Amino acid sequence: MADSFQEDAVSVTDRIAAEALIIDVGAFEGPLDLLLTLCRTQKVDLRQISILALAEQYLAFVETAKQLRLELAADYLVMAAWLAFLKSRLLLPPDPSEEGPSGEELAAHLAFQLERLAAMREVAAKLMARDQLGRDFFARGITEDVQRMRHVTYSATLLDLMQGYARIRTRDDFRPFVLDRDAVMTLEQALERMRHLIGFAGDWADLSSYIPEGWQIDPPRRRSATAAHFAASLELAKEGCIDIRQGEAFAPIQIRSRTPR
Amino acid sequence: METERTSLFEAPPMAEQERMVEAILFASADPVTFTELMGRMPHGAEPAEAIARLRKRYEGRGVNILRIGDAWAIRTAPDLGFLMQKETVEVRKLSRAAIETLAIVAYHQPVTRAEIEEIRGVSVSRGTVDQLIELEWVRFGRRKMTPGRPVTFVVTEGFLDHFGLESARDLPGLKDLRAAGLLENRPAPGTVPLGEGSDADADQTEMFDQD
Amino acid sequence: METERTSLFEAPPMAEQERMVEAILFASADPVTFTELMGRMPHGAEPAEAIARLRKRYEGRGVNILRIGDAWAIRTAPDLGFLMQKETVEVRKLSRAAIETLAIVAYHQPVTRAEIEEIRGVSVSRGTVDQLIELEWVRFGRRKMTPGRPVTFVVTEGFLDHFGLESARDLPGLKDLRAAGLLENRPAPGTVPLGEGSDADADQTEMFDQD
């Protein structure tokens, strides 16, 4: 895309105009603002602006900036790429097989955006030129307080409310990482539990029967408790406190206490 | 009890009601709403009529009765501003971005941040909207019924008061803008409209043509 | 010199001078002395005459021109003082705890006290909730169908009214807050926030050191 507009012959007047604008590049509020300024050099009503000419002016501006090794912000370059595309659409005869809006439609929309922004600027200026409270007209200087009853109301603005909420939520956002341990049973917990229970167990019993209530149904909790109890049973077997057996692969694991004989 | 008792009394004569409205409006620096006026005046009073008379009485005087939304206020006549240097409030100068954003909110309300950015062609910096909210000229409006339910911004009564506007409908040039189609939310060709366009239009009509 | 020069200008007509005095007395925060009036009005003006006329104009009105020492001011007519009761309302800012609690109720309603405490990370004092209920911003909602059937809190119509919201759903979300620049004072990642943070840290150490 960059090459396609580099090849375009840029008129001398466009180049001179572009160089004049480059000085102000920092003062523009984005590509639309720059385009509006370029429009003014066409010296016609915004409604009669030639979008094609405007696209060429803009591309000349970007080209000049490049030659001066001036870095333009990304959105200026995005606009340049889009205008180069628009220009090719406007110049080439329409290809019926091509999808999407026509060059004329795209140009009309850009013209609309420019006209709308220009209109908003105009009314903004009108608004600011209005008489303003505290500058041109004034409110009552002495407000009367007849001290009859003093009655306290509390005030809070929506801003206070939102800032309050934001304060709480950001505290949460940056809470250091902690495992959510609601659904986690540790090896230590299982071990302590089993040490206590195993003394009461006489015969072979399923390991799963040792899993406490509240950990038997919810899958994540059941998984965690099962793993903890299994690890604990290995620990107890190593210590010689229990025997473990399993009929076949995936069959229930059974344990019994190894009572000293 | 209270209501029963007071309904036995006749409403004060209109000239008296006019005096009351006059006293109440003079005593307040902020606009006084119709509801508040009703609440403070004796039962049976008709503030609307009293206000209309008072307004007429102060036409061409050094102070005038202004309507701001559903409220009324007395303000000095704008042509006498030159006498008030002592009272002039120094306001922090608004940036160009803030002024444009304010105008866009006023003319396109309710408007989302994305719509403001679409109109200005640049992103809206954090401070800009913040400053307008702090000035109490802009507040959050209803959420838009479009994907993501974005919040909207609208202008406040304080905005109307500051710029001496009776309602948002009296914004300068509003009719011309609408006639020229410049308040439409026209989606770019080739993009899929998210329904925002029609929605925004409906909202706006609702806001400005409510009478 | 000065007087010689200005005597060439004609003083404004008396009706105009009256308007000027009216506007100055209205907007001034203090009674205005004769000397000050002289200084503020155009050269050649005769404030004494203008005041006399204005005073006459306001005779029997809802407000009168009063002389206080050697200064003048507009004041409510003595018989209408009873209308000024509303002006004595004292406005206080809500405490931080109350604001935060209110925000949690608004964003999470219906919410139980335990849930509020969990979100705030500190216990909620009785007085805080009581105050919000007294302000009629918060009321009891339905009981929750969980063990103990705890009561819940929800926000009221009065709340929506005060904060200019159509519904609690119109409250701006976290993303909106961030976009509006309201979330700027976030702690840098890696720093430990007060209270909760250190607590959580302790937990973590305990977890990893135990084996």
Side-chain angles (χ1 to χ4, degrees):
Chain A
M1 193 61 81
D3 284 340
S4 73
F5 57 79
Q6 203 150 24
E7 288 161 15
D8 290 327
V10 170
S11 81
V12 180
T13 42
D14 279 355
R15 195 181 293 266
I16 292 169
E19 277 178 22
L21 286 177
I22 290 243
I23 300 164
D24 294 328
V25 68
F28 290 113
E29 299 212 6
L32 270 191
D33 188 23
L34 172 56
L35 278 169
L36 260 189
T37 308
L38 290 170
C39 282
R40 252 172 256 138
T41 64
Q42 286 195 21
K43 294 195 173 95
V44 289
D45 185 81
L46 256 186
R47 298 205 161 203
Q48 279 130 42
I49 207 88
S50 159
I51 290 293
L52 184 60
L54 187 63
E56 275 165 354
Q57 283 175 290
Y58 187 95
L59 295 174
F61 172 86
V62 174
E63 180 56 26
T64 312
K66 198 183 284 173
Q67 281 166 7
L68 296 175
R69 296 180 184 283
L70 240 149
E71 252 183 69
L72 290 178
D75 43 353
Y76 288 90
L77 300 179
V78 170
M79 177 61 89
W82 188 82
L83 285 172
F85 164 77
L86 173 62
K87 190 180 151 187
S88 68
R89 278 251 160 147
L90 287 171
L91 288 176
L92 297 173
D95 178 353
S97 69
E98 215 162 349
E99 299 260 321
S102 71
E104 280 70 28
E105 282 169 331
L106 293 173
H109 186 70
L110 179 60
F112 167 74
Q113 284 179 298
L114 290 171
E115 201 188 337
R116 182 173 60 181
L117 180 58
M120 287 326 293
R121 292 208 167 147
E122 204 177 299
V123 291
K126 274 190 201 159
L127 188 65
M128 298 315 283
R130 281 185 74 85
D131 291 328
Q132 293 183 33
L133 180 66
R135 189 188 77 180
D136 307 294
F137 63 95
F138 295 84
R140 182 76 161 118
I142 307 174
T143 52
E144 247 154 281
D145 298 359
V146 181
Q147 305 268 330
R148 286 230 169 166
M149 43 190 210
R150 180 167 274 271
H151 121 108
V152 178
T153 64
Y154 287 87
S155 89
T157 64
L158 189 57
L159 208 62
D160 294 332
L161 191 70
M162 294 186 312
Q163 278 167 340
Y165 189 63
R167 208 155 51 218
I168 304 164
R169 298 318 305 211
T170 37
R171 217 152 55 202
D172 278 2
D173 280 1
F174 293 94
R175 189 176 60 165
F177 176 73
V178 194
L179 267 183
D180 185 1
R181 292 200 285 162
D182 259 1
V184 176
M185 181 176 282
T186 62
L187 167 65
E188 288 76 15
Q189 281 170 309
L191 201 56
E192 194 185 334
R193 213 183 123 71
M194 286 180 74
R195 265 192 222 290
H196 180 67
L197 289 176
I198 202 78
F200 301 102
D203 209 343
W204 291 103
D206 276 6
L207 179 61
S208 60
S209 66
Y210 284 85
I211 292 173
E213 219 172 288
W215 294 81
Q216 292 165 347
I217 294 161
D218 178 43
R221 283 169 78 87
R222 196 184 58 215
R223 267 197 300 278
S224 174
T226 305
H229 278 75
F230 177 63
S233 65
L234 293 180
E235 193 68 27
L236 290 171
K238 202 170 85 186
E239 288 173 24
C241 301
I242 60 167
D243 290 317
I244 305 185
R245 73 174 189 194
Q246 187 176 28
E248 54 182 274
F250 301 112
I253 295 168
Q254 296 187 314
I255 59 172
R256 74 165 176 205
S257 88
R258 185 190 284 172
T259 36
R261 292 171 205 245
Chain B
M1 280 276 283
E2 179 72 9
T3 39
E4 266 173 18
R5 212 155 36 104
T6 47
S7 64
L8 296 177
F9 293 103
E10 259 178 62
M14 191 44 70
E16 202 50 27
Q17 292 189 33
E18 205 189 309
R19 287 183 74 231
M20 292 177 178
V21 172
E22 192 175 33
I24 293 172
L25 294 189
F26 260 94
S28 171
D30 293 320
V32 181
T33 64
F34 188 80
T35 324
E36 194 185 340
L37 220 43
M38 268 303 240
R40 286 171 67 175
M41 287 170 70
H43 290 264
E46 290 167 83
E49 169 74 12
I51 291 164
R53 284 166 173 246
L54 201 65
R55 212 170 174 178
K56 201 155 187 79
R57 181 184 291 273
Y58 278 92
E59 260 169 29
R61 297 269 298 272
V63 295
N64 308 131
I65 316 284
L66 296 192
R67 182 183 177 150
I68 298 133
D70 286 328
W72 279 268
I74 305 183
R75 302 285 182 245
T76 62
D79 67 307
L80 298 177
F82 72 97
L83 294 169
M84 310 295 163
Q85 267 139 6
K86 198 181 154 198
E87 278 78 32
T88 302
V89 192
E90 276 305 322
V91 190
R92 185 157 48 126
K93 223 174 141 53
L94 284 181
S95 68
R96 193 173 131 191
I99 290 173
E100 279 181 28
T101 303
L102 177 65
I104 292 169
V105 173
Y107 285 82
H108 290 261
Q109 65 176 347
V111 67
T112 65
R113 168 179 291 263
E115 287 163 351
I116 297 172
E117 294 183 339
E118 149 83 13
I119 293 170
R120 293 198 62 228
V122 279
S123 59
V124 177
S125 82
R126 359 184 72 190
T128 305
V129 177
D130 216 16
Q131 190 186 7
L132 296 174
I133 290 175
E134 223 165 88
L135 279 166
E136 297 187 1
W137 287 353
V138 164
R139 64 173 177 85
F140 288 97
R142 233 187 277 188
R143 281 177 186 275
K144 210 150 228 185
M145 298 307 279
T146 51
R149 307 232 317 123
V151 289
T152 63
F153 298 101
V154 295
V155 289
T156 63
E157 303 265 301
F159 165 84
L160 298 178
D161 190 20
H162 185 90
F163 290 98
L165 293 162
E166 200 162 298
S167 81
R169 258 169 285 153
D170 298 322
L171 284 164
L174 183 72
K175 275 196 192 111
D176 296 337
L177 285 183
R178 187 174 312 123
L182 291 171
L183 296 184
E184 286 163 27
N185 196 341
R186 228 183 267 181
T191 60
V192 183
L194 293 169
E196 276 207 30
S198 50
D199 192 47
D201 267 355
D203 278 348
Q204 214 158 46
T205 324
E206 189 191 302
M207 278 211 71
F208 287 122
D209 295 336
Q210 229 165 21
D211 40 2
Chain C
M1 280 278 282
E2 181 73 7
T3 37
E4 264 170 24
R5 208 155 39 103
T6 49
S7 63
L8 296 176
F9 294 100
E10 253 177 68
M14 190 45 69
E16 201 51 27
Q17 293 189 34
E18 208 189 307
R19 288 183 75 230
M20 292 176 177
V21 174
E22 191 176 33
I24 293 172
L25 294 191
F26 173 85
S28 175
D30 303 299
V32 184
T33 64
F34 187 80
T35 324
E36 196 188 338
L37 220 41
M38 262 310 237
R40 285 172 76 165
M41 286 170 69
H43 291 271
E46 292 167 81
E49 169 73 9
I51 291 167
R53 281 168 175 248
L54 199 65
R55 217 170 167 175
K56 199 155 186 73
R57 187 187 284 276
Y58 277 95
E59 254 169 37
R61 303 292 319 160
V63 293
N64 308 133
I65 312 289
L66 269 190
R67 184 178 179 146
I68 300 147
D70 61 348
W72 279 269
I74 304 179
R75 285 292 155 92
T76 308
D79 64 315
L80 296 179
F82 72 95
L83 291 170
M84 301 303 145
Q85 289 180 352
K86 273 241 158 167
E87 303 299 319
T88 65
V89 173
E90 189 184 319
V91 180
R92 282 188 207 158
K93 271 234 172 256
L94 217 53
S95 70
R96 182 170 158 161
I99 290 260
E100 290 186 5
T101 305
L102 182 61
I104 292 168
V105 174
Y107 278 92
H108 294 268
Q109 64 172 354
V111 66
T112 65
R113 172 184 294 266
E115 286 163 346
I116 296 172
E117 293 183 340
E118 191 189 318
I119 295 169
R120 274 199 74 211
V122 284
S123 65
V124 175
S125 84
R126 250 212 113 76
T128 305
V129 178
D130 285 350
Q131 186 189 15
L132 294 173
I133 290 174
E134 210 169 287
L135 281 167
E136 297 186 359
W137 284 349
V138 164
R139 64 174 176 81
F140 290 103
R142 236 185 275 186
R143 281 178 184 277
K144 206 153 225 179
M145 300 305 278
T146 52
R149 310 231 316 121
V151 288
T152 62
F153 299 101
V154 295
V155 291
T156 64
E157 290 283 310
F159 165 86
L160 297 177
D161 201 39
H162 181 93
F163 290 96
L165 295 163
E166 303 272 337
S167 80
R169 274 177 312 164
D170 292 326
L171 278 168
L174 269 192
K175 253 188 226 138
D176 306 318
L177 298 184
R178 193 162 286 144
L182 296 174
L183 286 192
E184 279 173 304
N185 50 352
R186 46 163 99 165
T191 61
V192 181
L194 291 175
E196 270 194 55
S198 46
D199 216 34
D201 245 1
D203 278 359
Q204 219 159 35
T205 327
E206 184 192 305
M207 245 188 105
F208 289 125
D209 286 346
Q210 228 169 28
D211 40 0

